[in-house]
Amino acid sequence: MKFTPRPLRDEVNVSREHPLKEFFLLVGGVSAVFLAVFLILGLALDYVVPHISPELEDRLGKAYVTAFDIDEERSPAEQRLQELLDRLTGSLEEPDREYRVHIIPSPEANALALPGGHIVILSGLVREADSENELTMVLGHELGHYQERDHLQGLGRGLVLVFLSTLLFGADSPLSSLTMALLGSAEMQFSQSQERRADEWGLKLLLAEYGHAGGATSFFRRMEEKEEGKELLYFFSTHPFPKKRIEAIERAVREGKHPVKEKAALHEALTGVE
Amino acid sequence: MESLLDLVIFLGLVALGYFAGSRAERRHYRSIRERERKFLTQPAVSFGKFQGQETVADARLVSGSAVISIDYFKRLLAGLRALVGGRVKSYESLLDRARREALLRMKEKAAGADAIVNLRIETTSISKGSRNRNNSVSTVEALAYGTALYRRKQA
């Protein structure tokens, strides 16, 4: 047998398809499936959430209190916020339900409504506030979330999100954070309307307490000035850009012809919170 | 805010993987094709006896191996592919390059041989057995070995 050298004509072992084409097909297909599952589970949650018993909610709340490392001992600032809160709960549908305020040290100005009536205020928010009316508005907003049972829904959606991405990519894979970011912005579309309704509650409770709408928007307005130029970042945020919220609240104040009067100064326990 | 930073880092790594990876692959294939043309007349076969070889003065074991790594983009593609199944096209070129490079290195080692017989190619995954799946670097090694036959006695 004679050896005849012949060059290979084709690359048979390597697919010719452009890798970018494969990439976009896969990303598109997988995210479509994700989004579908996420939406379906979201709808399922809307159905389930009204049926969660108060006992189960309390158990969930306890788990959160442990997870957030919340101190049982109350600081003077927490006691003062609790006083403000207790005055508001009287005008709610279920006045007997217990709500507790916790302050967690943090540079961020934010507040969370956890299951079991635990309202967590990040200390940055207390530092930013310049009157009790503003804090009342925030507390009223969080109470509004409980009235709409958003706290459980948000919790559920958050779990669905974590569950989906962890299931598919593992706990700390970069793909996980990508999905969280993408689906998080989809989630925002749900939460925007929730935030608006909670703002309506906040305004209602503020009016019931003080009889005027002073402080309803001044806090958000200061936040807006801080966030100016960061509109793009809000694509990834669960809260709507403050400007839209301010507009909605101001419209409600105008339409209801509510007076706007001087705000009440901060109690001394609330000044100098670290 | 933090997730945005994560996203930017992630996309940066994907872009780096894609551009650096495809550039390396293009250059490697160019070099592979060029050297394959050069070694075209060097017989390398998988059977043991090379027919027509009357006298063999010398025989030597020759081997060549190459280690090729994946890039971030290929890993991402394979990860996505693992969700839905199908051919892992992004890895095909890695293995192809590793095998051909190993073969070429073996032929370079056997320069001057009249034939290479009993040629075998083996592939090993270097990251196999690594505990931390996410941080290991997936890398393949291809090893090509055979017996180089010489008509004239080698020094």
Side-chain angles (χ1 to χ4, degrees):
Chain A
M1 192 175 82
K2 194 174 175 297
F3 180 80
T4 323
R6 249 183 237 109
L8 289 171
R9 275 213 309 271
D10 298 309
E11 309 277 352
V12 290
N13 289 326
V14 179
S15 299
R16 278 166 193 283
E17 194 185 57
H18 198 278
L20 280 182
K21 184 186 163 201
E22 191 192 5
F23 177 70
F24 286 120
L25 271 178
L26 282 173
V27 166
V30 169
S31 14
V33 170
F34 262 5
L35 212 57
V37 171
F38 183 66
L39 288 177
I40 291 167
L41 284 177
L43 288 177
L45 271 175
D46 290 347
Y47 178 76
V48 167
V49 159
H51 303 289
I52 290 180
S53 69
E55 292 80 36
L56 178 61
E57 201 190 317
D58 280 344
R59 276 225 299 280
L60 284 171
K62 284 213 187 73
Y64 264 94
V65 170
T66 325
F68 274 81
D69 211 10
I70 289 170
D71 215 340
E72 273 306 305
E73 217 163 292
R74 329 276 331 255
S75 70
E78 279 176 326
Q79 278 165 16
R80 178 61 191 160
L81 279 181
Q82 187 73 47
E83 279 170 35
L84 291 177
L85 182 71
D86 290 343
R87 277 195 244 154
L88 298 179
T89 48
S91 42
L92 292 177
E93 282 161 24
E94 303 168 272
D96 324 325
R97 244 190 97 163
E98 213 189 311
Y99 296 99
R100 281 176 75 86
V101 182
H102 310 274
I103 297 181
I104 292 184
S106 162
E108 277 175 66
N110 210 341
L112 315 156
L114 298 182
H118 296 281
I119 298 180
V120 170
I121 308 280
L122 302 184
S123 64
L125 191 142
V126 184
R127 275 197 303 277
E128 296 282 341
D130 74 348
S131 64
E132 300 210 332
N133 304 55
E134 290 178 354
L135 289 172
T136 304
M137 178 71 190
V138 170
L139 291 172
H141 172 100
E142 300 305 323
L143 284 174
H145 277 313
Y146 288 105
Q147 298 307 299
E148 305 278 339
R149 293 182 81 83
D150 294 336
H151 60 302
L152 290 174
Q153 228 156 52
L155 183 74
R157 287 228 170 79
L159 280 181
V160 170
L161 212 58
V162 174
F163 169 74
L164 271 182
S165 65
T166 318
L167 181 78
L168 287 161
F169 304 119
D172 37 39
S173 133
L175 279 173
S176 227
S177 52
L178 179 72
T179 5
M180 297 289 271
L182 287 177
L183 286 185
S185 62
E187 160 73 8
M188 191 191 120
Q189 303 306 316
F190 294 105
S191 60
Q192 278 207 6
S193 63
Q194 290 180 346
E195 295 300 321
R196 288 230 178 87
R197 276 204 305 277
D199 279 343
E200 282 164 24
W201 273 99
L203 182 63
K204 197 167 129 189
L205 294 172
L206 182 76
L207 289 168
E209 172 63 23
Y210 290 98
H212 67 88
T217 53
S218 53
F219 179 75
F220 296 130
R221 198 168 278 292
R222 272 206 305 286
M223 298 310 287
E224 185 205 1
E225 280 160 19
K226 271 194 157 178
E227 302 286 283
E228 209 156 3
K230 292 193 193 165
E231 282 91 341
L232 197 65
L233 289 179
Y234 271 82
F235 181 67
F236 298 103
S237 163
T238 50
H239 278 68
F241 192 62
K243 197 172 186 167
K244 288 185 183 168
R245 297 173 67 178
I246 297 170
E247 280 165 9
I249 299 170
E250 279 179 343
R251 203 179 315 120
V253 171
R254 262 199 319 277
E255 280 166 12
K257 296 201 169 58
H258 302 299
V260 178
K261 291 184 192 157
E262 198 58 32
K263 295 175 273 185
L266 283 178
H267 189 273
E268 60 178 15
L270 291 171
T271 54
V273 171
E274 279 178 26
Chain B
M1 183 66 210
E2 207 173 301
S3 62
L4 184 73
L5 187 69
D6 278 355
L7 186 70
V8 169
I9 292 175
F10 173 73
L11 291 178
L13 284 173
V14 173
L16 175 75
Y18 177 69
F19 289 112
S22 8
R23 188 179 131 92
E25 187 158 296
R26 261 198 318 276
R27 287 161 66 110
H28 192 197
Y29 266 125
R30 208 179 301 140
S31 142
I32 285 176
R33 291 205 187 91
E34 192 183 302
R35 285 181 295 153
E36 274 178 352
R37 272 195 297 278
K38 193 175 130 201
F39 282 108
L40 197 58
T41 50
Q42 162 83 290
V45 294
S46 61
F47 48 75
K49 269 186 190 157
F50 194 49
Q51 320 279 314
Q53 193 79 28
E54 304 90 37
T55 50
V56 173
D58 214 342
R60 277 179 191 183
L61 172 72
V62 283
S63 68
S65 82
V67 181
I68 312 279
S69 169
I70 60 165
D71 55 56
Y72 205 88
F73 179 75
K74 282 189 192 297
R75 176 153 69 185
L76 176 67
L77 259 189
L80 287 168
R81 181 52 77 189
L83 296 175
V84 294
R87 282 181 293 165
V88 189
K89 293 175 193 158
S90 64
Y91 281 10
E92 287 175 344
S93 62
L94 289 184
L95 283 153
D96 186 54
R97 277 159 66 195
R99 281 190 301 261
R100 286 162 80 173
E101 180 66 37
L103 207 57
L104 282 168
R105 288 183 180 180
M106 186 203 71
K107 285 187 169 183
E108 275 159 23
K109 180 116 187 234
D114 296 288
I116 300 163
V117 297
N118 250 333
L119 171 69
R120 300 289 182 268
I121 298 177
E122 285 177 15
T123 310
T124 319
S125 164
I126 285 185
S127 58
K128 201 155 67 182
S130 165
R131 264 160 199 271
N132 196 339
R133 197 167 63 92
N134 282 327
N135 292 330
S136 71
V137 178
S138 303
T139 302
V140 285
E141 187 215 20
L143 168 70
Y145 59 92
T147 309
L149 301 180
Y150 302 85
R151 256 185 222 129
R152 255 181 238 116
K153 189 86 186 156
Q154 297 296 295

